[in-house]
Amino acid sequence: MSKLIHNCKIWTDSGYKEWLLFDENEIKEVGIGDHPASDEKIDLDGNFVFPGLIDSHIHVYGLGRELSRLRLNKPRSISELQNKLHEYSKKNQDLKWIIGNNWDQDYMEDNRYPSKEDLDLIVDDRPVLLFRACNHIGVVNSKALEILNIYSKTENPLGGIIEKDEHEVPTGILKETALSLVTDHIKITDYKTRKKIITLGLQKCVEVGLTMVQTNDPNCWEIYKELEKNDELPIRVALTIFENDLEREIRPTPSSRINFLSCDRVKLFADGSLGAQTAALRQPYSDTKAMGVSIHKQDDLDAKVLRIKQAGFRLEVHAIGDLAAEMVLKSFEKANISKDERPILTHCQILAQDLINKMSQLGVIANIQPQFVTTDSQWVEKRLGEGNERLKYAYAWKTLLNNQIPIAGGSDSPIELPNPLHGIYAAIFRKNPQNEIWRPEEKLSFNESLDMYTKGGAFATMMENQLGQLKENYFADFIVVDKDIGEKPEGIMDTKIIQVWVNGKKKF
């Protein structure tokens, strides 16, 4: 059955068009003027049509889970954090663990990490865990430390830090792999609950205009397969599994693809986060003189990369600091990963020219999160040193493009909101919380920013001949919005999603 959308402005590489004809799930023709016959005509009331938007780095399970947790929303002080914790704990007396997200010491007037004592003043009878905005640091109360058997003599796990004061007493701060000490106590194992969480996350994604997600969700393949089988996936899902998923009895085979669902890559972590000062740097942080945390030694990282390649999967590796990027690129090179395999370096926040040159040589895709500029720009110079040469390669999206590095855009939600329009706006304007432009030389055009979330996302999942553009023989994935964001991108943040179409069907 053919359908025709008309009375609208349709964004294409060759300019705006007036109508689009699709049959079932495939675009047949896009044009101007008189339109061809169709079985059904859809009048879009003068609104604007853009290609379906793709989030190339998101955690759908984490997003759905966070929607049901305490949302701290970056409190401005320790006392505000305590007030929110107090209200939540009163309303949720049945919870065995109180878990919250999204504090950031750089946004708080106290300018310090919260401590176990801060939490104990509010809740001392139940364990509490509050994640920093990056999810690479958490703070727990004394009850949690007791349950976790963390004391003065407890040693740091490999790749993690249990912070202690000058008397070797744990402060309540856990960094990187030290957070895994909590995992067994808070993880949700009930299948139905986990399926509900994923469904909640997917629904949020379609509401903000996403037609595809490339999601990092461990141990979720079986759930996604069931959702696909029951026609319950509202959007396309390219699942990235974790290394330990390779040991599971139920896991995808390399290059699995079942209608809306696919999986062809495995995720590794090379370091932590810049805000938590656990991103691995070549030179010390300017404000602490720490070097960050390398999750693996070089030999171990080499072995993991090679193992994943030999298992037939593509690589996606989290690397925020320049040292982490250097280590990952060495591992890619040692494993003889080819350009055709399109390895992915996720985040790429601190680079250097030699690293960019190596990325170009190896055909590495830069998977970037433009919203991080908005969040991080108010403190990144404090971390790296004002005027430091490495700032030149911090969040350097334009530099990557100028060096012919393919880029794909993502939100890293729930770290940031999953709204792709917010990411496009951040890439174009690079404004900090004070509405000032940070490093304007790295601003992208609207076309470049849109491409990140369309063509770039399609390239990252090897579907560039089917997705990312509104043209003949491509899938009918598109969104309808109420503003001409192509002509007036300054209005992006006030733009309303009117409709979302995936595979020729209206999903929102």
Side-chain angles (χ1 to χ4, degrees):
M1 179 178 177
S2 63
K3 296 180 181 179
L4 181 109
I5 59 171
H6 67 106
N7 187 19
C8 56
K9 287 180 68 175
I10 302 168
W11 176 274
T12 74
D13 283 355
S14 58
Y16 280 112
K17 307 299 181 184
E18 298 173 349
W19 52 261
L20 181 149
L21 177 71
F22 58 98
D23 189 359
E24 298 298 335
N25 65 344
E26 188 176 280
I27 297 172
K28 296 300 181 183
E29 195 175 353
V30 188
I32 295 174
D34 295 337
H35 49 70
S38 62
D39 295 318
E40 180 182 352
K41 292 181 180 179
I42 302 166
D43 188 332
L44 291 183
D45 299 321
N47 285 304
F48 304 88
V49 179
F50 289 85
L53 300 175
I54 301 170
D55 191 316
S56 296
H57 183 70
I58 189 171
H59 307 266
V60 170
Y61 180 85
L63 171 61
R65 183 181 58 194
E66 185 159 316
L67 291 171
S68 61
R69 287 179 172 176
L70 165 59
R71 286 287 290 163
L72 293 167
N73 295 323
K74 293 180 180 168
R76 293 293 178 175
S77 64
I78 298 292
S79 62
E80 184 182 335
L81 178 150
Q82 291 172 318
N83 290 337
K84 290 182 176 182
L85 174 59
H86 176 68
E87 290 300 316
Y88 185 84
S89 64
K90 280 201 311 181
K91 293 177 182 177
N92 296 275
Q93 297 286 346
D94 58 324
L95 293 179
K96 293 181 180 180
W97 277 77
I98 295 175
I99 305 172
N101 304 75
N102 211 28
W103 58 265
D104 185 335
Q105 76 281 5
D106 289 294
Y107 278 77
M108 294 193 285
E109 59 189 28
D110 313 78
N111 196 31
R112 65 172 175 85
Y113 292 152
S115 67
K116 68 178 189 293
E117 289 82 9
D118 295 322
L119 307 190
D120 290 345
L121 286 172
I122 309 302
V123 180
D124 60 5
D125 59 339
R126 287 181 287 169
V128 177
L129 168 63
L130 304 180
F131 288 98
R132 189 184 181 277
C134 62
N135 280 354
H136 288 262
I137 287 183
V139 59
V140 296
N141 65 351
S142 295
K143 188 66 175 179
L145 289 173
E146 176 188 330
I147 291 170
L148 299 173
N149 291 314
I150 295 177
Y151 304 103
S152 296
K153 295 184 179 180
T154 306
E155 296 183 357
N156 290 330
L158 181 65
I161 296 172
I162 299 170
E163 187 180 86
K164 298 172 184 176
D165 64 19
E166 65 273 18
H167 303 295
E168 292 298 306
V169 176
T171 65
I173 290 291
L174 305 176
K175 299 182 178 182
E176 300 304 334
T177 60
L179 285 167
S180 66
L181 300 172
V182 194
T183 302
D184 288 340
H185 297 270
I186 65 171
K187 67 181 179 183
I188 300 169
T189 57
D190 177 67
Y191 184 90
K192 289 184 178 179
T193 302
R194 296 177 70 240
K195 180 181 174 182
K196 182 179 178 180
I197 287 171
I198 287 176
T199 302
L200 185 64
L202 287 171
Q203 184 57 39
K204 182 65 176 179
C205 289
V206 74
E207 288 172 5
V208 296
L210 289 168
T211 58
M212 182 181 195
V213 289
Q214 297 170 36
T215 182
N216 294 187
D217 296 329
N219 192 24
C220 288
W221 176 248
E222 187 177 6
I223 296 174
Y224 279 113
K225 275 187 70 177
E226 181 183 338
L227 291 171
E228 167 55 40
K229 180 180 178 181
N230 296 333
D231 196 26
E232 293 175 336
L233 287 181
I235 58 178
R236 302 181 193 277
V237 174
L239 178 65
T240 298
I241 61 174
F242 285 44
E243 185 192 16
N244 58 5
D245 286 326
L246 295 176
E247 308 297 334
R248 301 186 190 280
E249 183 177 345
I250 300 176
R251 66 173 178 86
T253 55
S255 301
S256 298
R257 194 173 297 276
I258 313 167
N259 299 320
F260 273 22
L261 177 62
S262 63
C263 177
D264 70 352
R265 66 197 196 215
V266 174
K267 171 79 172 290
L268 289 174
F269 287 86
D271 66 347
S273 80
L274 196 64
Q277 297 169 323
T278 54
L281 301 181
R282 287 170 160 177
Q283 299 296 324
Y285 285 86
S286 294
D287 49 351
T288 64
K289 306 307 178 186
M291 299 288 288
V293 176
S294 295
I295 303 297
H296 310 288
K297 296 179 180 178
Q298 185 69 60
D299 288 348
D300 293 335
L301 184 61
D302 294 346
K304 289 176 181 293
V305 167
L306 182 60
R307 179 196 179 206
I308 291 167
K309 173 186 168 65
Q310 291 176 338
F313 287 91
R314 297 170 59 215
L315 268 296
E316 176 180 351
V317 187
H318 164 119
I320 287 179
D322 49 7
L323 177 60
E326 178 184 329
M327 293 176 67
V328 173
L329 295 173
K330 283 181 179 178
S331 294
F332 285 170
E333 193 164 32
K334 288 179 184 177
N336 292 316
I337 292 177
S338 70
K339 287 187 175 183
D340 291 341
E341 294 173 84
R342 299 184 191 176
I344 296 172
L345 195 67
T346 292
H347 301 315
C348 306
Q349 285 164 242
I350 311 300
L351 295 171
Q353 190 59 54
D354 65 305
L355 300 175
I356 293 173
N357 293 343
K358 182 62 70 174
M359 290 173 69
S360 179
Q361 176 190 332
L362 298 177
V364 174
I365 296 170
N367 192 328
I368 65 174
Q369 290 63 55
Q371 286 149 284
F372 284 1
V373 170
T374 305
T375 304
D376 300 357
S377 55
Q378 69 172 11
W379 48 254
V380 68
E381 293 187 15
K382 182 170 68 174
R383 296 283 190 276
L384 301 180
E386 188 174 353
N388 192 298
E389 174 68 15
R390 60 186 169 183
L391 275 174
K392 179 180 176 182
Y393 296 99
Y395 307 74
W397 317 145
K398 189 72 171 183
T399 297
L400 287 170
L401 280 182
N402 289 343
N403 282 269
Q404 288 74 54
I405 307 294
I407 60 174
S411 64
D412 201 15
S413 182
I415 306 303
E416 301 288 347
L417 295 174
N419 193 322
L421 295 181
H422 291 189
I424 291 171
Y425 182 87
I428 297 169
F429 295 102
R430 294 180 67 95
K431 290 186 177 181
N432 66 17
Q434 289 73 44
N435 210 34
E436 302 163 337
I437 298 173
W438 187 67
R439 301 202 61 218
E441 67 275 14
E442 295 294 340
K443 290 167 62 175
L444 302 184
S445 68
F446 175 80
N447 291 43
E448 291 167 336
S449 302
L450 179 67
D451 282 353
M452 268 199 296
Y453 289 89
T454 53
K455 296 176 186 176
F459 186 81
T461 195
M462 294 191 166
M463 294 186 71
E464 68 272 19
N465 294 319
Q466 298 165 294
L467 296 173
Q469 300 182 61
L470 297 179
K471 60 188 295 188
E472 186 178 339
N473 298 325
Y474 276 59
F475 287 133
D477 290 15
F478 57 88
I479 64 168
V480 183
V481 299
D482 67 339
K483 289 182 173 63
D484 187 354
I485 57 176
E487 291 293 330
K488 296 181 179 179
E490 60 273 10
I492 289 175
M493 298 298 283
D494 299 319
T495 298
K496 181 180 179 182
I497 303 292
I498 305 294
Q499 296 178 14
V500 177
W501 290 72
V502 184
N503 217 41
K505 294 182 180 179
K506 187 164 72 169
K507 299 292 186 174
F508 176 77

